[in-house]
Amino acid sequence: DTAVSQTPKYLVTQMGNDKSIKCEQNLGHDTMYWYKQDSKKFLKIMFSYNNKELIINETVPNRFSPKSPDKAHLNLHINSLELGDSAVYFCASSPGGWSYEQYFGPGTRLTVT
Amino acid sequence: AQSVTQLDSHVSVSEGTPVLLRCNYSSSYSPSLFWYVQHPNKGLQLLLKYTSAATLVKGINGFEAEFKKSETSFHLTKPSAHMSDAAEYFCVVMNYGGSQGNLIFGKGTKLSVKP
């Protein structure tokens, strides 16, 4: 029973393409997140999404757009991919609130050539 | 604003010896602190969390951390390292400035365990 799952695990694509990464959680959590891990292993929040409220990190280019069809899913769509988008993208979920831990998916390694 | 600083980018220990991974935090509020572990090519797993209850927090796989407000520290320890402990460890603080409590990660400490 995978708590937070992501597809695909690996994604190799060319510059300029549009791609999506899917995330699903079966924990019944209200809040989901997208994080980016760069080549130096540094993790940074991109988005958080609670029901209908989307919190956008101002450092994220508008080529990145999260889409949530329902509470259990938060997909990440990326337009016009650039070399610098190469990274590992992690989805996470939590019950919400200030003291709850977050549960992470296995990550999607995106390589843009 | 909240932040964490992991004082060592790489720690190397011998199997069976103690592990100490150091983390200092900065927070305007009483912080919620976490340690996560990432094994090679894997996702992130929660080791333990501190949320203003007991200052000594016990986690999985024999790890524990002590919250010291006077030193603004939250160091991770384990009495005896195993080969399977080799991984990247992240000290994390909850960001109270975000409306949904996103996490702020330290830069990570790579733990190597020698046989």
mmCIF file of all heavy atoms in Angstrom, chain A residues 12 15-16 20 22 26-28 37 41 51 57-58 63-64 77 80 90 93-94 101 104 111:
data_model
loop_
_atom_site.group_PDB
_atom_site.id
_atom_site.type_symbol
_atom_site.label_atom_id
_atom_site.label_comp_id
_atom_site.label_asym_id
_atom_site.label_seq_id
_atom_site.Cartn_x
_atom_site.Cartn_y
_atom_site.Cartn_z
ATOM 1 N N VAL A 12 12.804 11.589 -19.279
ATOM 2 C CA VAL A 12 13.841 12.206 -20.098
ATOM 3 C C VAL A 12 13.150 12.847 -21.288
ATOM 4 O O VAL A 12 12.384 12.187 -21.999
ATOM 5 C CB VAL A 12 14.877 11.169 -20.572
ATOM 6 C CG1 VAL A 12 15.958 11.869 -21.400
ATOM 7 C CG2 VAL A 12 15.506 10.445 -19.389
ATOM 8 N N MET A 15 14.450 19.888 -24.549
ATOM 9 C CA MET A 15 14.103 21.292 -24.298
ATOM 10 C C MET A 15 12.919 21.706 -25.153
ATOM 11 O O MET A 15 12.794 21.297 -26.303
ATOM 12 C CB MET A 15 15.298 22.190 -24.636
ATOM 13 C CG MET A 15 16.443 22.125 -23.657
ATOM 14 S SD MET A 15 17.841 23.130 -24.222
ATOM 15 C CE MET A 15 17.064 24.717 -24.452
ATOM 16 N N GLY A 16 12.056 22.495 -24.547
ATOM 17 C CA GLY A 16 10.910 23.033 -25.264
ATOM 18 C C GLY A 16 9.658 22.186 -25.169
ATOM 19 O O GLY A 16 8.557 22.671 -25.464
ATOM 20 N N SER A 20 4.137 16.323 -17.858
ATOM 21 C CA SER A 20 3.414 16.302 -16.590
ATOM 22 C C SER A 20 3.927 15.187 -15.703
ATOM 23 O O SER A 20 4.339 14.138 -16.186
ATOM 24 C CB SER A 20 1.918 16.098 -16.826
ATOM 25 O OG SER A 20 1.345 17.214 -17.459
ATOM 26 N N LYS A 22 2.590 13.042 -12.267
ATOM 27 C CA LYS A 22 1.375 12.788 -11.501
ATOM 28 C C LYS A 22 1.709 12.354 -10.081
ATOM 29 O O LYS A 22 2.699 11.668 -9.843
ATOM 30 C CB LYS A 22 0.541 11.707 -12.186
ATOM 31 C CG LYS A 22 0.024 12.122 -13.550
ATOM 32 C CD LYS A 22 -0.876 11.060 -14.143
ATOM 33 C CE LYS A 22 -1.457 11.526 -15.490
ATOM 34 N NZ LYS A 22 -2.369 10.519 -16.075
ATOM 35 N N ASN A 26 -2.999 8.186 -0.799
ATOM 36 C CA ASN A 26 -4.152 7.432 -0.286
ATOM 37 C C ASN A 26 -4.256 7.535 1.237
ATOM 38 O O ASN A 26 -4.796 6.641 1.894
ATOM 39 C CB ASN A 26 -4.082 5.975 -0.752
ATOM 40 C CG ASN A 26 -2.845 5.255 -0.234
ATOM 41 O OD1 ASN A 26 -2.102 5.788 0.589
ATOM 42 N ND2 ASN A 26 -2.620 4.049 -0.710
ATOM 43 N N LEU A 27 -3.721 8.623 1.778
ATOM 44 C CA LEU A 27 -3.697 8.807 3.227
ATOM 45 C C LEU A 27 -4.870 9.632 3.726
ATOM 46 O O LEU A 27 -5.000 9.837 4.933
ATOM 47 C CB LEU A 27 -2.374 9.494 3.625
ATOM 48 C CG LEU A 27 -1.120 8.686 3.292
ATOM 49 C CD1 LEU A 27 0.121 9.566 3.429
ATOM 50 C CD2 LEU A 27 -1.023 7.474 4.197
ATOM 51 N N GLY A 28 -5.656 10.140 2.819
ATOM 52 C CA GLY A 28 -6.781 10.973 3.230
ATOM 53 C C GLY A 28 -6.371 12.353 3.689
ATOM 54 O O GLY A 28 -7.132 13.045 4.368
ATOM 55 N N GLN A 37 14.320 19.029 -5.828
ATOM 56 C CA GLN A 37 15.656 18.745 -5.290
ATOM 57 C C GLN A 37 16.682 18.912 -6.405
ATOM 58 O O GLN A 37 16.641 18.195 -7.410
ATOM 59 C CB GLN A 37 15.741 17.331 -4.709
ATOM 60 C CG GLN A 37 17.071 17.051 -4.025
ATOM 61 C CD GLN A 37 17.113 15.695 -3.346
ATOM 62 O OE1 GLN A 37 16.668 14.697 -3.890
ATOM 63 N NE2 GLN A 37 17.654 15.658 -2.129
ATOM 64 N N LYS A 41 21.385 18.251 -4.006
ATOM 65 C CA LYS A 41 20.513 17.612 -3.016
ATOM 66 C C LYS A 41 19.680 18.616 -2.212
ATOM 67 O O LYS A 41 19.018 18.224 -1.255
ATOM 68 C CB LYS A 41 21.290 16.730 -2.027
ATOM 69 C CG LYS A 41 22.075 15.623 -2.681
ATOM 70 C CD LYS A 41 21.228 14.384 -2.817
ATOM 71 C CE LYS A 41 22.065 13.215 -3.320
ATOM 72 N NZ LYS A 41 21.235 12.031 -3.557
ATOM 73 N N ASN A 51 -7.179 21.807 -0.471
ATOM 74 C CA ASN A 51 -8.509 21.920 -1.071
ATOM 75 C C ASN A 51 -8.434 22.865 -2.271
ATOM 76 O O ASN A 51 -7.770 22.583 -3.231
ATOM 77 C CB ASN A 51 -9.522 22.351 -0.025
ATOM 78 C CG ASN A 51 -9.737 21.254 0.984
ATOM 79 O OD1 ASN A 51 -9.712 20.081 0.665
ATOM 80 N ND2 ASN A 51 -9.900 21.647 2.237
ATOM 81 N N ASN A 57 4.899 29.492 -4.771
ATOM 82 C CA ASN A 57 6.171 30.065 -4.366
ATOM 83 C C ASN A 57 6.613 31.044 -5.439
ATOM 84 O O ASN A 57 6.680 30.703 -6.608
ATOM 85 C CB ASN A 57 7.208 28.947 -4.196
ATOM 86 C CG ASN A 57 8.506 29.457 -3.625
ATOM 87 O OD1 ASN A 57 9.134 30.346 -4.199
ATOM 88 N ND2 ASN A 57 8.907 28.912 -2.509
ATOM 89 N N GLU A 58 6.950 32.226 -5.030
ATOM 90 C CA GLU A 58 7.220 33.271 -6.015
ATOM 91 C C GLU A 58 8.466 33.018 -6.835
ATOM 92 O O GLU A 58 8.670 33.645 -7.865
ATOM 93 C CB GLU A 58 7.321 34.616 -5.309
ATOM 94 C CG GLU A 58 8.457 34.696 -4.297
ATOM 95 C CD GLU A 58 8.439 35.997 -3.522
ATOM 96 O OE1 GLU A 58 7.381 36.624 -3.456
ATOM 97 O OE2 GLU A 58 9.496 36.394 -2.992
ATOM 98 N N ARG A 63 5.978 28.746 -15.875
ATOM 99 C CA ARG A 63 5.914 27.565 -16.755
ATOM 100 C C ARG A 63 5.480 26.326 -15.962
ATOM 101 O O ARG A 63 5.067 25.328 -16.556
ATOM 102 C CB ARG A 63 7.281 27.290 -17.380
ATOM 103 C CG ARG A 63 7.798 28.417 -18.273
ATOM 104 C CD ARG A 63 9.145 28.061 -18.879
ATOM 105 N NE ARG A 63 10.206 27.940 -17.892
ATOM 106 C CZ ARG A 63 10.685 26.790 -17.444
ATOM 107 N NH1 ARG A 63 10.209 25.642 -17.899
ATOM 108 N NH2 ARG A 63 11.656 26.766 -16.550
ATOM 109 N N PHE A 64 5.582 26.417 -14.653
ATOM 110 C CA PHE A 64 5.173 25.314 -13.787
ATOM 111 C C PHE A 64 3.761 25.588 -13.291
ATOM 112 O O PHE A 64 3.486 26.668 -12.753
ATOM 113 C CB PHE A 64 6.109 25.206 -12.578
ATOM 114 C CG PHE A 64 7.481 24.714 -12.917
ATOM 115 C CD1 PHE A 64 8.425 25.577 -13.456
ATOM 116 C CD2 PHE A 64 7.839 23.397 -12.685
ATOM 117 C CE1 PHE A 64 9.694 25.127 -13.775
ATOM 118 C CE2 PHE A 64 9.111 22.943 -12.989
ATOM 119 C CZ PHE A 64 10.041 23.802 -13.535
ATOM 120 N N HIS A 77 2.432 20.204 -14.036
ATOM 121 C CA HIS A 77 2.607 20.352 -15.477
ATOM 122 C C HIS A 77 3.687 21.391 -15.741
ATOM 123 O O HIS A 77 3.692 22.458 -15.100
ATOM 124 C CB HIS A 77 1.298 20.789 -16.131
ATOM 125 C CG HIS A 77 1.351 20.757 -17.620
ATOM 126 N ND1 HIS A 77 1.318 19.583 -18.344
ATOM 127 C CD2 HIS A 77 1.483 21.748 -18.531
ATOM 128 C CE1 HIS A 77 1.396 19.855 -19.639
ATOM 129 N NE2 HIS A 77 1.506 21.158 -19.775
ATOM 130 N N SER A 80 7.333 24.244 -21.853
ATOM 131 C CA SER A 80 8.585 24.778 -22.434
ATOM 132 C C SER A 80 9.795 24.429 -21.574
ATOM 133 O O SER A 80 10.515 25.311 -21.090
ATOM 134 C CB SER A 80 8.476 26.300 -22.600
ATOM 135 O OG SER A 80 7.373 26.634 -23.394
ATOM 136 N N PHE A 90 9.681 15.976 -5.903
ATOM 137 C CA PHE A 90 9.014 15.171 -4.890
ATOM 138 C C PHE A 90 7.643 15.737 -4.586
ATOM 139 O O PHE A 90 7.477 16.938 -4.374
ATOM 140 C CB PHE A 90 9.825 15.142 -3.589
ATOM 141 C CG PHE A 90 11.053 14.300 -3.649
ATOM 142 C CD1 PHE A 90 12.287 14.884 -3.871
ATOM 143 C CD2 PHE A 90 10.980 12.924 -3.468
ATOM 144 C CE1 PHE A 90 13.435 14.106 -3.928
ATOM 145 C CE2 PHE A 90 12.123 12.147 -3.518
ATOM 146 C CZ PHE A 90 13.351 12.739 -3.754
ATOM 147 N N SER A 93 2.487 14.863 1.107
ATOM 148 C CA SER A 93 1.161 15.196 1.641
ATOM 149 C C SER A 93 1.222 15.232 3.156
ATOM 150 O O SER A 93 2.122 14.642 3.771
ATOM 151 C CB SER A 93 0.107 14.173 1.185
ATOM 152 O OG SER A 93 0.256 12.938 1.869
ATOM 153 N N SER A 94 0.270 15.931 3.758
ATOM 154 C CA SER A 94 0.168 15.973 5.208
ATOM 155 C C SER A 94 -1.267 16.263 5.599
ATOM 156 O O SER A 94 -2.049 16.765 4.792
ATOM 157 C CB SER A 94 1.096 17.041 5.791
ATOM 158 O OG SER A 94 0.484 18.308 5.738
ATOM 159 N N GLU A 101 3.943 16.050 10.295
ATOM 160 C CA GLU A 101 4.985 15.697 9.354
ATOM 161 C C GLU A 101 4.392 15.507 7.973
ATOM 162 O O GLU A 101 3.192 15.322 7.814
ATOM 163 C CB GLU A 101 5.702 14.413 9.790
ATOM 164 C CG GLU A 101 4.816 13.179 9.822
ATOM 165 C CD GLU A 101 4.181 12.948 11.179
ATOM 166 O OE1 GLU A 101 3.932 13.956 11.895
ATOM 167 O OE2 GLU A 101 3.930 11.783 11.523
ATOM 168 N N PHE A 104 6.430 11.737 1.906
ATOM 169 C CA PHE A 104 6.956 12.012 0.582
ATOM 170 C C PHE A 104 6.787 10.827 -0.364
ATOM 171 O O PHE A 104 6.869 9.665 0.050
ATOM 172 C CB PHE A 104 8.448 12.364 0.666
ATOM 173 C CG PHE A 104 8.689 13.760 1.171
ATOM 174 C CD1 PHE A 104 8.607 14.050 2.522
ATOM 175 C CD2 PHE A 104 8.971 14.787 0.280
ATOM 176 C CE1 PHE A 104 8.808 15.346 2.993
ATOM 177 C CE2 PHE A 104 9.185 16.081 0.735
ATOM 178 C CZ PHE A 104 9.098 16.357 2.094
ATOM 179 N N THR A 111 15.085 14.711 -16.530
ATOM 180 C CA THR A 111 16.301 15.091 -17.247
ATOM 181 C C THR A 111 15.896 15.758 -18.549
ATOM 182 O O THR A 111 15.190 15.173 -19.369
ATOM 183 C CB THR A 111 17.175 13.866 -17.555
ATOM 184 O OG1 THR A 111 17.486 13.199 -16.328
ATOM 185 C CG2 THR A 111 18.462 14.288 -18.249
#
